[in-house]
Amino acid sequence: MLEMLYWNPAFFAASFGIFAIIALYSSLSDIRKRTVNSFTFLPMFFVAAVYYILLHEYYMAILTSVLALSTFMRTDSYIYLLLPAISFIIAVLTGSLSIGVLVAILFVLLGFRETLFGIGDVKAEVSYLMAFQYLNRPLFLGSVFAVSFLIYISAFSLLVIIAFYLSALHRGLRFDGIYIAYDEAEYSKNSQKYRIIGSGDRARMSYRMPFLVPINLAALFSVLIGLPAFLF
């Protein structure tokens, strides 16, 4: 049953189809509005839970559910930190701890108070890790998917940041350190894309990167390609 499901093309195709729709929708939403509906990534959590249930790995299904629930908690509440801690304990006690699970828990923790990742980004990262770390195991081990995902996120995020800086320079925007000097015309046209830091003469603009784009690209590359260069 285990090997048959690993290699089941229909299950993988259905899962990948769900992912493709979610990735396209969330990327467009993040580019246009810098936000995404809270329930967008629930189908990927569902895919992961169903997959583990079919494998009779019920602890992994429970772990997936706890991690999914944690991404719907207020990120400024300490309960938000409690649930990934419980997830870690479950993983250790049941022998379910893997690099993929560990990275998923880390992503949840990094979403605390949304200082590094927005909660939408965290939902995407965690749901993809739980759904795909073993689903494409015939091609790549779960740990390889997790490592690939991290590396691709870093690479694509860097490209997005560089693209923004080049675009801003081309449009004549001035930089004040890592921020942009306040530009009334630019902000009035793209207010959803910026945060205002400071006020008056000290006002600067912080660009809100559409990080769901590199996250979705990272998941796509990790599922279809992996990191063959790192395997030789």
Side-chain angles (χ1 to χ4, degrees):
M1 173 64 181
L2 188 64
E3 293 301 323
M4 287 178 62
L5 189 58
Y6 277 152
W7 287 94
N8 188 315
F11 191 89
F12 181 82
S15 303
F16 187 79
I18 293 171
F19 158 73
I21 294 170
I22 289 173
L24 180 61
Y25 165 74
S26 60
S27 294
L28 291 175
S29 179
D30 204 24
I31 290 171
R32 294 171 178 172
K33 301 183 293 184
R34 293 302 191 274
T35 185
V36 65
N37 186 284
S38 295
F39 299 100
T40 298
F41 301 100
L42 271 183
M44 292 308 301
F45 282 115
F46 182 75
V47 164
V50 168
Y51 178 68
Y52 295 125
I53 289 172
L54 289 174
L55 291 181
H56 305 293
E57 295 189 14
Y58 301 114
Y59 288 122
M60 284 296 295
I62 293 171
L63 185 62
T64 298
S65 301
V66 174
L67 286 172
L69 180 61
S70 69
T71 65
F72 283 87
M73 297 290 103
R74 286 178 50 126
T75 61
D76 59 350
S77 168
Y78 286 105
I79 296 177
Y80 181 87
L81 296 177
L82 179 61
L83 290 178
I86 292 174
S87 300
F88 180 78
I89 293 171
I90 292 173
V92 170
L93 293 180
T94 62
S96 304
L97 189 63
S98 66
I99 292 178
V101 170
L102 197 59
V103 172
I105 292 172
L106 177 62
F107 274 132
V108 175
L109 293 174
L110 291 177
F112 183 58
R113 295 181 177 173
E114 300 190 69
T115 53
L116 186 58
F117 290 113
I119 194 60
D121 301 334
V122 172
K123 289 175 181 177
E125 292 159 342
V126 176
S127 66
Y128 295 161
L129 277 163
M130 299 308 292
F132 286 123
Q133 66 166 331
Y134 296 123
L135 186 56
N136 58 342
R137 186 171 179 174
L139 300 178
F140 310 107
L141 294 176
S143 60
V144 174
F145 175 84
V147 172
S148 300
F149 193 44
L150 286 174
I151 293 175
Y152 283 133
I153 284 178
S154 301
F156 287 126
S157 295
L158 180 60
L159 290 176
V160 167
I161 292 171
I162 291 173
F164 162 70
Y165 271 83
L166 292 177
S167 173
L169 290 172
H170 178 72
R171 285 177 288 148
L173 297 176
R174 294 184 299 105
F175 285 90
D176 183 0
I178 62 173
Y179 300 110
I180 303 170
Y182 182 74
D183 186 293
E184 179 65 32
E186 175 71 11
Y187 184 73
S188 62
K189 288 188 299 183
N190 301 289
S191 59
Q192 79 278 10
K193 297 180 180 180
Y194 294 96
R195 291 190 185 94
I196 300 299
I197 309 295
S199 60
D201 294 337
R202 298 287 299 170
R204 295 167 295 170
M205 299 190 302
S206 174
Y207 186 67
R208 301 174 63 193
M209 297 287 178
F211 279 119
L212 278 173
V213 175
I215 290 169
N216 287 327
L217 285 174
L220 177 65
F221 273 63
S222 297
V223 169
L224 297 183
I225 300 174
L227 285 174
F230 284 78
L231 300 179
F232 293 108

